[in-house]
Amino acid sequence: MSKILDFVIAVRCNTENTYSEFHLGNVYNNLGQTIASKIGITSISGANKLLTSSGVIHAFVRHGTQKSEDERGQVGITNEDFDYLSDILSNPTDITLGDKMNRKKEDTIIFSKKIKGKVYNVIMCVVKSNKEKTLIFNTMFIKK
C-alpha cells in the first residue's frame, strides 16, 4: 500500500474531520515549462503539490458514487485510484486550464492521463501566497 493510499484511507476513517495535508512533491522544471506554454500559467516550476484532507473528502462526495457518475459518463472513484495521483501529476498526457469555480476564483489546472482504458482527470488549484505558488488538490474524476 502506498503512502498516498494510507493518507486517503486515514482521511476517510477520520470521524472528527481534522484537517491534514500530504506533500506530493514539487513541480519539475519541464512540467512547469509545459504548463506555461500550454495554458499560460507561469512560475509553477518548483511549486509544492499538496493533497489535503478536505480535497479527498470533496472528491468522494462529488465523484465517489457510481450512480451519480454514470449519469455524467464517468466512473466512481475508489481509494485505490489515488495511487495513480503522482503519475498523473508528473506525467500527464494532457494539461488544460480549468474554470475559476472555486470560492477564491483562483486558477485551476486539469491534469489528464489515460490509464487502463479510462481517462483520469485531476484538478489542482493554484494558490499564491508570499510570492510562492502551491498546487492544491481540488478533485478527481474518471471518464469512461
Side-chain angles (χ1 to χ4, degrees):
M1 196 176 327
S2 73
K3 291 181 181 181
I4 295 173
L5 185 55
D6 289 342
F7 177 79
V8 169
I9 291 169
V11 166
R12 296 194 71 204
C13 291
N14 182 350
T15 57
E16 296 176 15
N17 292 329
T18 52
Y19 180 81
S20 55
E21 298 177 344
F22 184 88
H23 183 68
L24 296 166
N26 298 83
V27 176
Y28 297 110
N29 285 336
N30 290 355
L31 182 57
Q33 291 170 359
T34 301
I35 291 169
S37 67
K38 283 197 82 166
I39 60 175
I41 297 177
T42 59
S43 305
I44 293 291
S45 295
N48 291 319
K49 296 180 290 185
L50 291 178
L51 176 62
T52 65
S53 54
S54 54
V56 170
I57 292 166
H58 171 83
F60 278 100
V61 167
R62 297 280 297 152
H63 303 288
T65 59
Q66 192 55 51
K67 184 178 178 186
S68 65
E69 292 305 279
D70 276 341
E71 296 169 4
R72 300 177 190 168
Q74 299 175 175
V75 177
I77 62 170
T78 66
N79 292 344
E80 290 74 20
D81 290 320
F82 281 83
D83 267 340
Y84 299 123
L85 190 56
S86 290
D87 185 36
I88 297 164
L89 294 176
S90 297
N91 304 300
T93 51
D94 196 22
I95 300 168
T96 54
L97 184 62
D99 294 332
K100 292 186 178 186
M101 296 173 29
N102 53 68
R103 63 183 172 86
K104 294 183 180 181
K105 305 295 184 221
E106 295 155 324
D107 287 323
T108 56
I109 303 170
I110 304 171
F111 295 84
S112 302
K113 185 161 189 165
K114 190 169 188 175
I115 300 170
K116 296 184 180 180
K118 298 179 256 180
V119 179
Y120 284 73
N121 296 279
V122 175
I123 301 177
M124 300 292 282
C125 187
V126 181
V127 178
K128 303 168 195 164
S129 62
N130 300 333
K131 298 181 183 180
E132 189 175 283
K133 290 185 181 177
T134 303
L135 299 182
I136 298 179
F137 177 87
N138 187 306
T139 195
M140 175 170 49
F141 61 95
I142 306 165
K143 293 273 187 186
K144 293 180 183 180

